[in-house]
Structure formats: structure tokens, C-alpha cells
Amino acid sequence: MKITPKYSIAFLLLFVLVQVRVFAQKTNTEGQVVEIIWNGSQDSNFNNPMNWSGDTIPDISMGTYIAKNHANEFYPSILTIPSNAVHNLVLKDHEEIFINQLTIASGKTLEVQGGGTLRTTQCTVNGKLIATQNTVKKSDFTFNQYLHVNGIVDLPNISSIWSPGDIEINQGGTLNIDNCALTMIVRRPPWADALHLSNSGTLSISEKTRIVTGGDILLNNNSNTTISNAAQITFENSKHSIKSNGVHFPIITLKNSKNGDIPQITLEDNLVIGNSILFEKGIIIGKTGSETLTLTNHATINTTTIPSDNSHATVKVIKEGFTDTFTFPLGDGTKYHPIKISKSGDVSTTYEAQFKNNKLRDNSLTGSGQDIAANEYWVLNPTTQNPESVVVSLYKLNTEFETTDQSKLDVIEYDRQANQWQSDAHRPATSRGGVNAFVDTEREITEFGEFTLHNELIGTNLPVELISFKATQNNKEVDLTWATATEINSEKFIVERSYDARHWEVVKEVQGAGNSDVRVDYEVEDHINNTNEKVYYRLTQFDFDGQSETFDMVTVGQNESLDNMVSVFPDPVHRGGDITISTASDEALPVRILSIDGKEMDHFDLDHQMSYRVNTQEHMIFVEIANGSNKVIKKVIVE
């Protein structure tokens, strides 16, 4: 088909002398697609009409690209560099190609020099597409639907690659991204159904390259891929799949998706991080559940944004050595449940860890006549011989023990030989200081396996897990309430009263639930004669084989417990809003505001009642009120 020039020959020659731009012929009035062929009969200069079919420089309005911003409406023409072209095509500074389809035949080359621009919807490279390095001006590339590499694409020192579609490197093809000065962008726009950076040939990504992807990265079994340890890959859409095929990924960032969803990154095989990973927002899951996430010896978790309920790994995490301490970024997909290991100095042992909740619990973890005190547990094991001993720390927040007094918690480990849970003991309460998110083993341990938290008030060999036991006084009437989370072989409860905490009398006997794995609430009423006298109550549980357990006392009367004297509301509170702290004490009591990790954020004295403005980025704070040696801590959720 002969191409008719848009301008007269004289004006065209004058225009070429003033400004050279590369245009491709757009759709004619009948909507037909025009095929443009580069023959290179004279030289590599785009602006020589003799190098084109029809001896005419092709032309298209850039406005078509700007106005039509979805698939199949970009650049309606086809440009082919055929195998019989005499010379290769070279784009120089300020020269641009805007084209719908570009095909470079085997043995032929399109060279884009510094300052040149190539924008195409569909690009197939059977020959070579190269960018010539220029330290002053960079070239720019756009592949809107796909880039199929069967030959060689070598793009060193370029400005950017914009590719919202597929990048496929087929067998025998090579894609080299070297020292990309700004960004290699691989994003999913609203009109794209899928995105894959897939590879069956050779892929080389060198230093200073950044990949921002809204889609998948799939490296096939017969691929040959190298990624520099300084290259960065960011995942920033709702769903991604990663198939690494044994290639170490360097710097990984899980980023918030554009629509506000929590991104989900599915591992199709084991993923190894060689430098660092940043959990900004995103959940890493496994396709089959057996996939792993490994951090090499020098790889770290970037703490610019720490892992959270919205960003963690549900798969098994492996750490190949660490220095001083390492926190595994684990969770169940909705809540953050890390486990921490610590030892002074450099540790060469490789450890693997995973969090499991009640739904994943193996029945073999429950011995005869006993139950786990928590509904969650962690699995921690070394994978190298002669493992070094470490202190193990479990995260109590997001568990049923979130508000339990730290001094009453310890770490227990399951002994498979004895088929029972064994306490590793906690550090003394005085060494913890305030609110701490983690509960530590008392010393470094050498035996590994399943770990969980245990409340000392709930024996591992006893069948009832008590949630609460409270006494509320209304003049001469006392309302006694308690609740259980689980009951096994539970026959009855007995509530007793005492005026000196030594001599007891039965208030009432209540039938137990037998066997229950759901919350059960109980209530008993008592009548007292003297409202000014301190009264003690205790609760004892009996099972059918005669074992019993007595829980902590509660009190009412003139000197009722500090916990009953203090209130903090509302909970939750909006960030920037006020909470009201009040006490029935006649004395001014010291108050501390603590962060989630136990650090003091503020302190003041409380005289009966006051309002406190919550200005913090924390999602949870703790209000600690002291009365002499007695302390009470109230948790407040910040929204």
C-alpha cells in the first residue's frame, strides 16, 4: 500500500531540518490498519524517506496516544523491520516512535539512543532491541499490552520501562535491564485482565533497577535469571503470584494496593530474600501451604514499617543465621503473631518458624487429660546440626492472654516423648517492667518444637480455662459472675465466702458444662449484712475424677480491689479523641500511659476523674493506675 505524505515534499524537508520526530501512519478514513515497513535501503537514519516503503517518512498524531488510554486503541499502525532490511533502524535524541504493533525480525536491530522514545502496544523482538548508553540523556520505553522476547532486548542506563501488560521471555530470548536509573515499571492498569513478568529464556536485572508490579512474576523451570542484590521489587496491587524457580529476590516491598485492599502475595514455590523485605501492607500465603519464605544470613526485615495485622507471612519462615535477635514476621492472615529468638552476638544456626491457630492444631498436640492453655501455638525448629541455644519469646497480643498480667504468663513447650506440655518458665515479673508484647523463656533453650503461652492460674493438667471471675456489690446484694472458654470433664463449681480469707463457707454449688469448647457464662447472687465490711469470694472447679482447682479471690466492701475502683472509657477511642479515667479512691493516684511495647508515653496524677486526649499513631495503648504496690492496667484500642 502506498503511503501518501501529509505535507508537500518541500515543506516536509524544511520540517525535518527544524525538528525530527518519529511518527507511524495511523488508521485511514475507512478504519483500516496501515502496515509500515522499514527497508533501510540507504542508511540507519529514520528521517531519510528512501529507507521506508513508499519512500515516505511515516506520520501519526501523538494526540491519539494521549486521548485513547485503553487497550487496542493505541497507535493503529504496524511497523515491521524485516529480515531483508539492508540497514538497522536507529532512533536518535528527541526521536520518537508511537506504534500499535512492532516486530523486529531475526538478525535485525532497533537501536534507541539517549533521548529517544519507543512506545508500542504490542512488541515482538526476534532480533535485537537495544538502548545505547548516554550519561546525560536517557531513553524511554512503553509496552502497553506485551513485550515478547525471542531475541535480545538490552536496556542499560535507561529512564524507565512502562509495561502494564505481559513481559514474556521465551526460550532463546534474553532481557537485560542494567543500571536502570529510575524505574522499571510493570503495573496492572484498570483495563488489563492480567499481568505477568514470565521467563523461559534469560533475564538479567542489574543494580539500581526498581520493578514496581501490579501483577505476577513467574520464572519458569528452564529460565536463566540473575537479579542483582541491589535491585528492588515492589508489589502494589490486590493479588500477586510469585514463582522464583530458585532465584534469590533481593529487596522486596509489600505495598498498599490502590483500592485500599490488603494485597495478597501467593508463593507458587519457595521464595528466598537476599537483601531485605519491607512489610508495608500485604499478606504472604502459599499456593499449597508447603511453600516457604527464606531470609538469607545477611537479609533483614526493613523496620521502616514493622509487620502488622495487615502485613505478615502465613507460610513457614526460615532465617539463615542472625545477630543478637530476629523476629519472625508470622501471622494467620488476619492477625500478627510473631515469634522472636535472641542470643548475644552472631548466630550461624538456621531456624524455621510458623504460627498455627486452633483450626490447624494437630490432635497429637493434646495429651491425655490436658489441654493447651492458649488457642494458638508456634512451631520453631532448627534445620542445621548442633543448633545454638536461644531465648524464645512469644507475642501475647492478639491472643486470649492479651490483657493478662504479664507476671502470670510463661512459655510452655510440648514434649512429644512424654506427650504433655512442659513449662520453660518465664522471667521474673520484676525484670519485665510494665507492659511487654512478648513473653520470654527464662533462659536459652536447646529443645525445640511446639510452643505456646500459658497462664499460671490455668494448670495445663486441669480441664477448665477460666476467662473471668468478678464480684459486683449493690448495697447488700453481691452479683458473682464467671465465664469459661473451654471445659473438659467439668462436674461443678463451688462459690465460697469469707470475711478473713481463711475461714470459708459455701455460697452455692453450680453444675459444670461437662465438655465444652465454647464460652459458658455463670452467675450466682449472695446477700451480705454489713456493706462496710470487706468480703472475700473464691471459685473452685471440680472435675468428675475428683481433681479440683481454686482460682484467685475477688473482694467487695469498703476496701474493694483496685480493679473495681478504676474505669477507662470509651474503648475503643478514635485517634485524637478523649478517654475518661476515673477512680473511686479518695487519694490522688499516679497514672502512666504506655505504648504497645511497654514504653512510657505520658504520666500524671489522677484525682477522681479526668479526660485525656489520645494523640498517638499506636493502634493500642495501656493505662496503668497504681495504688501503693497494687497496679491495674486497662487496654484501650485506638481507631
Side-chain angles (χ1 to χ4, degrees):
M1 177 180 294
K2 184 175 178 63
I3 302 176
T4 303
K6 185 176 182 180
Y7 305 97
S8 67
I9 298 298
F11 181 79
L12 179 60
L13 290 175
L14 178 62
F15 177 80
V16 168
L17 291 175
V18 177
Q19 179 180 9
V20 178
R21 300 183 66 87
V22 177
F23 297 112
Q25 183 70 31
K26 66 178 180 181
T27 311
N28 62 21
T29 54
E30 289 79 20
Q32 297 174 344
V33 174
V34 176
E35 182 177 5
I36 303 167
I37 298 177
W38 165 268
N39 56 48
S41 61
Q42 301 295 311
D43 50 35
S44 297
N45 185 2
F46 176 85
N47 297 292
N48 185 345
M50 303 299 293
N51 288 324
W52 296 96
S53 59
D55 299 334
T56 303
I57 301 174
D59 178 26
I60 190 174
S61 170
M62 186 178 175
T64 302
Y65 166 70
I66 297 174
K68 304 293 186 179
N69 201 19
H70 57 83
N72 297 323
E73 292 191 11
F74 290 158
Y75 333 119
S77 300
I78 298 174
L79 170 60
T80 302
I81 304 176
S83 58
N84 61 357
V86 179
H87 294 90
N88 295 321
L89 174 58
V90 176
L91 291 184
K92 298 180 181 180
D93 184 15
H94 294 300
E95 295 180 348
E96 300 173 331
I97 288 181
F98 296 84
I99 199 74
N100 183 46
Q101 293 181 19
L102 170 63
T103 301
I104 304 173
S106 177
K108 296 303 166 183
T109 300
L110 170 58
E111 177 185 346
V112 182
Q113 296 182 352
T117 298
L118 171 63
R119 298 185 180 179
T120 175
T121 303
Q122 302 168 350
C123 182
T124 301
V125 179
N126 300 313
K128 292 182 179 180
L129 171 61
I130 62 174
T132 305
Q133 295 189 22
N134 186 322
T135 58
V136 178
K137 293 184 178 181
K138 314 296 182 180
S139 49
D140 181 77
F141 293 81
T142 298
F143 308 104
N144 281 306
Q145 282 190 358
Y146 65 72
L147 168 63
H148 290 175
V149 183
N150 303 307
I152 296 174
V153 176
D154 188 12
L155 307 178
N157 207 38
I158 62 173
S159 291
S160 66
I161 299 176
W162 169 256
S163 179
D166 292 344
I167 295 181
E168 293 185 0
I169 309 169
N170 299 317
Q171 189 169 5
T174 298
L175 172 60
N176 176 41
I177 310 296
D178 184 11
N179 194 27
C180 181
L182 294 178
T183 307
M184 174 183 175
I185 304 176
V186 187
R187 278 188 182 143
R188 175 181 296 165
W191 63 83
D193 294 329
L195 180 146
H196 298 85
L197 173 59
S198 58
N199 176 33
S200 296
T202 299
L203 171 65
S204 176
I205 300 176
S206 299
E207 295 185 4
K208 297 183 181 179
T209 297
R210 279 200 313 147
I211 300 175
V212 182
T213 176
D216 305 334
I217 294 183
L218 305 174
L219 305 180
N220 297 328
N221 295 333
N222 57 342
S223 64
N224 180 17
T225 303
T226 57
I227 304 178
S228 165
N229 203 39
Q232 302 178 40
I233 303 175
T234 299
F235 297 91
E236 62 164 25
N237 216 321
S238 296
K239 291 186 178 181
H240 306 268
S241 290
I242 302 176
K243 185 177 181 181
S244 64
N245 192 32
V247 175
H248 289 199
F249 280 40
I251 303 173
I252 300 294
T253 297
L254 310 184
K255 192 175 179 65
N256 189 14
S257 64
K258 301 301 181 183
N259 58 10
D261 293 340
I262 299 175
Q264 181 174 288
I265 296 88
T266 301
L267 303 186
E268 296 195 4
D269 61 1
N270 299 334
L271 177 62
V272 179
I273 306 297
N275 190 318
S276 67
I277 182 169
L278 173 62
F279 286 87
E280 182 176 315
K281 194 171 185 181
I283 308 297
I284 298 179
I285 67 173
K287 183 176 182 179
T288 66
S290 62
E291 293 77 12
T292 61
L293 172 66
T294 298
L295 280 77
T296 61
N297 187 30
H298 298 291
T300 61
I301 295 176
N302 188 329
T303 56
T304 303
T305 303
I306 62 173
S308 64
D309 292 347
N310 295 331
S311 192
H312 56 260
T314 64
V315 298
K316 183 184 295 182
V317 176
I318 301 173
K319 184 66 179 79
E320 298 176 347
F322 66 93
T323 300
D324 295 330
T325 185
F326 179 76
T327 301
F328 290 87
L330 302 173
D332 61 5
T334 58
K335 296 294 183 181
Y336 179 47
H337 296 281
I339 182 173
K340 181 169 62 176
I341 52 178
S342 306
K343 186 181 182 68
S344 179
D346 294 333
V347 177
S348 60
T349 303
T350 296
Y351 300 90
E352 60 180 24
Q354 189 170 15
F355 173 80
K356 296 188 176 183
N357 56 28
N358 193 44
K359 294 180 180 179
L360 298 176
R361 182 187 300 176
D362 190 309
N363 290 332
S364 65
L365 296 182
T366 301
S368 176
Q370 63 176 212
D371 191 26
I372 300 175
N375 287 329
E376 308 89 4
Y377 68 94
W378 293 259
V379 182
L380 173 68
N381 285 299
T383 61
T384 52
Q385 293 184 345
N386 303 316
E388 298 170 76
S389 59
V390 292
V391 171
V392 176
S393 306
L394 304 184
Y395 191 70
K396 78 163 190 170
L397 304 182
N398 290 334
T399 72
E400 63 184 85
F401 297 133
E402 184 169 327
T403 59
T404 302
D405 186 346
Q406 192 84 0
S407 65
K408 295 182 172 63
L409 297 179
D410 66 357
V411 176
I412 59 175
E413 178 185 0
Y414 192 75
D415 185 338
R416 288 189 172 273
Q417 291 184 344
N419 196 31
Q420 62 183 1
W421 289 91
Q422 301 287 345
S423 175
D424 282 307
H426 55 72
R427 298 181 186 273
T430 54
S431 72
R432 292 194 178 97
V435 178
N436 195 327
F438 287 91
V439 179
D440 309 328
T441 55
E442 184 179 20
R443 54 192 172 275
E444 294 181 354
I445 63 171
T446 56
E447 299 293 333
F448 299 89
E450 296 87 4
F451 295 88
T452 192
L453 289 170
H454 168 238
N455 188 336
E456 288 182 334
L457 299 181
I458 306 174
T460 54
N461 291 311
L462 291 170
V464 170
E465 184 179 338
L466 186 70
I467 296 175
S468 63
F469 176 44
K470 298 180 180 179
T472 305
Q473 182 179 354
N474 184 15
N475 293 324
K476 294 184 179 182
E477 303 299 326
V478 179
D479 189 28
L480 300 152
T481 60
W482 67 98
T484 60
T486 59
E487 295 184 40
I488 300 176
N489 199 33
S490 176
E491 179 186 11
K492 61 184 178 181
F493 294 89
I494 293 181
V495 180
E496 297 174 284
R497 178 201 320 116
S498 175
Y499 294 97
D500 58 8
R502 291 179 296 175
H503 302 88
W504 297 90
E505 55 183 329
V506 174
V507 174
K508 193 168 185 179
E509 180 178 311
V510 179
Q511 182 178 353
N515 294 302
S516 172
D517 59 0
V518 297
R519 178 185 175 114
V520 179
D521 292 283
Y522 298 89
E523 183 176 7
V524 166
E525 290 185 355
D526 188 30
H527 179 83
I528 56 177
N529 296 319
N530 187 352
T531 58
N532 294 320
E533 187 175 8
K534 187 173 184 178
V535 183
Y536 301 85
Y537 290 95
R538 72 181 183 185
L539 177 69
T540 303
Q541 182 272 331
F542 295 83
D543 62 23
F544 287 105
D545 56 14
Q547 294 190 65
S548 65
E549 178 182 15
T550 300
F551 301 99
D552 273 4
M553 294 181 294
V554 295
T555 62
V556 296
Q558 185 180 24
N559 299 311
E560 65 182 38
S561 67
L562 181 61
D563 184 64
N564 293 332
M565 297 170 61
V566 173
S567 67
V568 179
F569 66 91
D571 179 22
V573 63
H574 291 294
R575 187 169 282 105
D578 292 341
I579 56 174
T580 299
I581 309 172
S582 61
T583 176
S585 174
D586 294 330
E587 302 176 2
L589 303 179
V591 177
R592 293 199 306 156
I593 306 298
L594 306 173
S595 66
I596 195 171
D597 57 1
K599 295 181 181 178
E600 182 178 301
M601 302 166 60
D602 201 353
H603 66 275
F604 46 84
D605 288 334
L606 171 65
D607 188 5
H608 293 295
Q609 181 173 300
M610 67 171 292
S611 294
Y612 180 80
R613 179 65 51 84
V614 180
N615 286 318
T616 178
Q617 295 304 311
E618 301 273 344
H619 68 272
M620 182 187 301
I621 63 171
F622 294 88
V623 181
E624 178 189 272
I625 301 106
N627 185 3
S629 60
N630 296 322
K631 293 181 180 180
V632 63
I633 297 175
K634 301 288 188 179
K635 176 194 70 175
V636 179
I637 302 295
V638 182
E639 297 180 336

